[in-house]
Coordinates of all heavy atoms in Angstrom, one line a residue:
L1212 N 5.3 -14.0 2.8 CA 6.3 -12.9 2.8 C 5.5 -11.7 2.5 O 5.0 -11.5 1.4 CB 7.3 -13.2 1.7 CG 8.3 -12.1 1.5 CD1 9.2 -11.8 2.7 CD2 9.1 -12.3 0.2
P1213 N 5.4 -10.8 3.5 CA 4.6 -9.5 3.3 C 5.2 -8.7 2.2 O 6.4 -8.7 2.0 CB 4.6 -8.9 4.6 CG 4.9 -9.9 5.6 CD 5.8 -10.9 4.9
T1214 N 4.4 -7.8 1.6 CA 4.9 -6.9 0.6 C 6.0 -6.0 1.2 O 6.0 -5.7 2.4 CB 3.7 -6.0 0.0 OG1 4.2 -5.1 -0.9 CG2 3.0 -5.3 1.2
A1215 N 6.9 -5.6 0.3 CA 8.0 -4.7 0.8 C 7.5 -3.3 1.3 O 8.2 -2.7 2.1 CB 9.1 -4.6 -0.2
T1216 N 6.4 -2.9 0.6 CA 5.9 -1.5 1.0 C 4.4 -1.6 1.2 O 4.0 -2.0 2.3 CB 6.3 -0.5 -0.1 OG1 5.9 -1.0 -1.4 CG2 7.8 -0.3 -0.1
S1217 N 3.7 -1.3 0.2 CA 2.2 -1.3 0.4 C 1.6 -2.4 -0.5 O 2.2 -3.1 -1.3 CB 1.7 0.1 -0.1 OG 2.0 0.3 -1.4
S1218 N 0.3 -2.6 -0.3 CA -0.4 -3.6 -1.1 C -0.6 -3.1 -2.5 O -0.5 -1.9 -2.8 CB -1.8 -3.8 -0.5 OG -1.7 -4.4 0.8
S1219 N -0.8 -4.1 -3.4 CA -0.9 -3.8 -4.8 C -1.6 -4.9 -5.5 O -1.5 -6.1 -5.2 CB 0.5 -3.6 -5.5 OG 0.3 -3.5 -6.9
T1220 N -2.4 -4.6 -6.6 CA -3.1 -5.6 -7.4 C -2.0 -6.4 -8.1 O -2.3 -7.6 -8.4 CB -4.0 -4.9 -8.4 OG1 -4.9 -4.1 -7.7 CG2 -4.7 -5.9 -9.3
W1221 N -0.9 -5.9 -8.4 CA 0.1 -6.5 -9.3 C 1.3 -7.0 -8.5 O 2.0 -6.2 -7.8 CB 0.6 -5.6 -10.4 CG -0.5 -5.3 -11.3 CD1 -0.9 -6.0 -12.4 CD2 -1.4 -4.1 -11.3 NE1 -2.0 -5.4 -13.0 CE2 -2.3 -4.2 -12.4 CE3 -1.5 -3.0 -10.4 CZ2 -3.3 -3.3 -12.6 CZ3 -2.5 -2.1 -10.6 CH2 -3.4 -2.2 -11.7
R1222 N 1.6 -8.3 -8.6 CA 2.8 -8.9 -8.0 C 3.3 -10.0 -8.9 O 2.5 -10.7 -9.5 CB 2.5 -9.4 -6.6 CG 3.7 -9.8 -5.7 CD 3.3 -10.1 -4.3 NE 2.4 -9.0 -3.8 CZ 2.9 -7.9 -3.3 NH1 4.2 -7.7 -3.2 NH2 2.1 -6.9 -2.8
D1223 N 4.6 -10.2 -9.1 CA 5.1 -11.2 -10.0 C 6.3 -11.9 -9.3 O 7.1 -11.2 -8.6 CB 5.5 -10.6 -11.3 CG 5.6 -11.6 -12.4 OD1 4.6 -12.2 -12.7 OD2 6.7 -11.9 -12.9
I1224 N 6.4 -13.2 -9.6 CA 7.4 -14.0 -8.9 C 8.1 -14.9 -9.9 O 7.5 -15.5 -10.8 CB 6.7 -14.9 -7.8 CG1 5.8 -14.1 -6.9 CG2 7.8 -15.6 -7.0 CD1 4.5 -14.8 -6.7
K1225 N 9.4 -15.0 -9.8 CA 10.2 -16.0 -10.6 C 11.2 -16.6 -9.6 O 11.5 -16.1 -8.5 CB 10.8 -15.4 -11.8 CG 9.9 -14.9 -12.8 CD 9.0 -15.9 -13.5 CE 8.1 -15.4 -14.6 NZ 7.1 -14.4 -14.1
V1226 N 11.9 -17.7 -10.1 CA 12.8 -18.4 -9.2 C 14.2 -18.6 -9.9 O 14.2 -18.8 -11.2 CB 12.2 -19.8 -8.9 CG1 13.3 -20.7 -8.2 CG2 11.0 -19.6 -8.0
Y1227 N 15.2 -18.5 -9.2 CA 16.6 -18.8 -9.6 C 17.4 -19.4 -8.5 O 17.5 -18.8 -7.4 CB 17.3 -17.6 -10.2 CG 18.7 -17.7 -10.5 CD1 19.1 -18.5 -11.6 CD2 19.7 -17.2 -9.7 CE1 20.5 -18.6 -11.9 CE2 21.1 -17.3 -10.0 CZ 21.4 -18.1 -11.1 OH 22.8 -18.3 -11.4
Q1228 N 18.0 -20.6 -8.7 CA 18.9 -21.2 -7.7 C 18.3 -21.2 -6.3 O 18.9 -20.8 -5.4 CB 20.2 -20.5 -7.7 CG 21.1 -20.9 -8.9 CD 22.6 -20.5 -8.8 OE1 22.9 -19.8 -7.9 NE2 23.4 -20.9 -9.7
N1229 N 17.1 -21.7 -6.2 CA 16.4 -21.9 -4.9 C 16.1 -20.6 -4.2 O 15.9 -20.6 -3.0 CB 17.3 -22.8 -4.0 CG 17.6 -24.2 -4.6 OD1 16.7 -24.7 -5.3 ND2 18.7 -24.7 -4.3
Y1230 N 16.0 -19.5 -4.9 CA 15.6 -18.2 -4.4 C 14.4 -17.7 -5.2 O 14.4 -17.9 -6.4 CB 16.7 -17.2 -4.5 CG 17.8 -17.4 -3.5 CD1 18.9 -18.3 -3.7 CD2 17.8 -16.8 -2.2 CE1 19.9 -18.5 -2.8 CE2 18.8 -17.0 -1.3 CZ 19.8 -17.9 -1.6 OH 20.8 -18.1 -0.7
A1231 N 13.4 -17.1 -4.5 CA 12.3 -16.5 -5.2 C 12.6 -15.0 -5.3 O 13.2 -14.4 -4.3 CB 11.0 -16.7 -4.4
F1232 N 12.3 -14.4 -6.4 CA 12.5 -13.0 -6.6 C 11.1 -12.4 -6.9 O 10.4 -12.8 -7.8 CB 13.4 -12.8 -7.8 CG 14.8 -13.3 -7.6 CD1 15.1 -14.6 -7.7 CD2 15.8 -12.4 -7.2 CE1 16.4 -15.1 -7.5 CE2 17.1 -12.9 -6.9 CZ 17.4 -14.3 -7.1
V1233 N 10.7 -11.4 -6.1 CA 9.3 -10.9 -6.1 C 9.4 -9.4 -6.4 O 10.1 -8.6 -5.8 CB 8.7 -11.1 -4.8 CG1 7.2 -10.7 -4.8 CG2 8.7 -12.6 -4.4
V1234 N 8.5 -9.0 -7.4 CA 8.4 -7.5 -7.7 C 6.9 -7.2 -7.6 O 6.0 -8.1 -7.6 CB 8.9 -7.2 -9.1 CG1 10.4 -7.5 -9.2 CG2 8.1 -7.9 -10.2
S1235 N 6.6 -5.9 -7.5 CA 5.3 -5.4 -7.4 C 5.2 -4.0 -7.9 O 6.2 -3.3 -7.9 CB 4.7 -5.5 -6.0 OG 3.5 -4.8 -5.8
E1236 N 4.0 -3.6 -8.4 CA 3.8 -2.2 -8.8 C 3.7 -1.3 -7.6 O 3.6 0.0 -7.7 CB 2.6 -2.0 -9.7 CG 2.9 -2.5 -11.1 CD 1.9 -2.0 -12.1 OE1 1.1 -1.1 -11.7 OE2 2.0 -2.4 -13.3
A1237 N 3.7 -1.8 -6.4 CA 3.6 -1.0 -5.2 C 4.8 0.0 -5.2 O 5.9 -0.3 -5.5 CB 3.7 -1.8 -3.9
S1238 N 4.5 1.2 -4.8 CA 5.5 2.3 -4.8 C 6.8 1.9 -4.0 O 6.7 1.4 -2.9 CB 4.9 3.6 -4.2 OG 5.9 4.6 -4.2
S1239 N 8.0 2.1 -4.7 CA 9.3 1.8 -4.0 C 9.5 0.4 -3.6 O 10.3 0.1 -2.7 CB 9.5 2.8 -2.8 OG 9.3 4.1 -3.2
H1240 N 8.7 -0.5 -4.2 CA 8.8 -1.9 -3.7 C 10.2 -2.6 -4.0 O 10.7 -3.4 -3.2 CB 7.7 -2.7 -4.4 CG 7.6 -4.2 -3.9 ND1 8.4 -5.2 -4.4 CD2 6.8 -4.7 -3.0 CE1 8.1 -6.3 -3.8 NE2 7.1 -6.1 -2.9
G1241 N 10.7 -2.3 -5.2 CA 12.0 -2.9 -5.6 C 11.8 -4.4 -5.8 O 10.7 -4.9 -6.2
M1242 N 12.8 -5.2 -5.5 CA 12.7 -6.7 -5.7 C 13.1 -7.4 -4.4 O 14.2 -7.2 -3.9 CB 13.7 -7.1 -6.9 CG 13.8 -8.6 -7.1 SD 14.9 -9.0 -8.5 CE 16.5 -8.7 -7.8
Q1243 N 12.2 -8.2 -3.9 CA 12.5 -9.0 -2.7 C 13.2 -10.3 -3.1 O 12.8 -10.9 -4.2 CB 11.2 -9.3 -2.0 CG 10.5 -8.1 -1.4 CD 9.1 -8.5 -0.8 OE1 8.2 -9.0 -1.6 NE2 8.9 -8.3 0.5
V1244 N 14.1 -10.8 -2.3 CA 14.8 -12.0 -2.5 C 14.5 -12.9 -1.3 O 14.7 -12.5 -0.2 CB 16.3 -11.8 -2.7 CG1 17.0 -13.2 -3.0 CG2 16.6 -10.8 -3.8
F1245 N 14.0 -14.1 -1.6 CA 13.7 -15.0 -0.5 C 14.3 -16.4 -0.7 O 14.2 -17.0 -1.8 CB 12.2 -15.2 -0.4 CG 11.7 -16.1 0.7 CD1 11.7 -15.7 2.0 CD2 11.3 -17.4 0.4 CE1 11.3 -16.5 3.1 CE2 10.9 -18.3 1.4 CZ 10.9 -17.8 2.8

């Protein structure tokens, strides 16, 4: 799953009800849901 905006050293992932939630310090990245 490519980053929502730009690349970043920092990315973090957790899971809830069969969905992954991904954040990053990349500018304006927000939270991806997969």
Side-chain angles (χ1 to χ4, degrees):
L1212 173 66
T1214 181
T1216 53
S1217 58
S1218 294
S1219 171
T1220 301
W1221 295 275
R1222 193 169 309 278
D1223 199 64
I1224 312 138
K1225 296 296 186 296
V1226 169
Y1227 172 72
Q1228 285 193 352
N1229 302 328
Y1230 287 84
F1232 296 80
V1233 184
V1234 300
S1235 172
E1236 284 198 6
S1238 177
S1239 304
H1240 185 279
M1242 179 177 71
Q1243 295 173 297
V1244 184
F1245 179 80

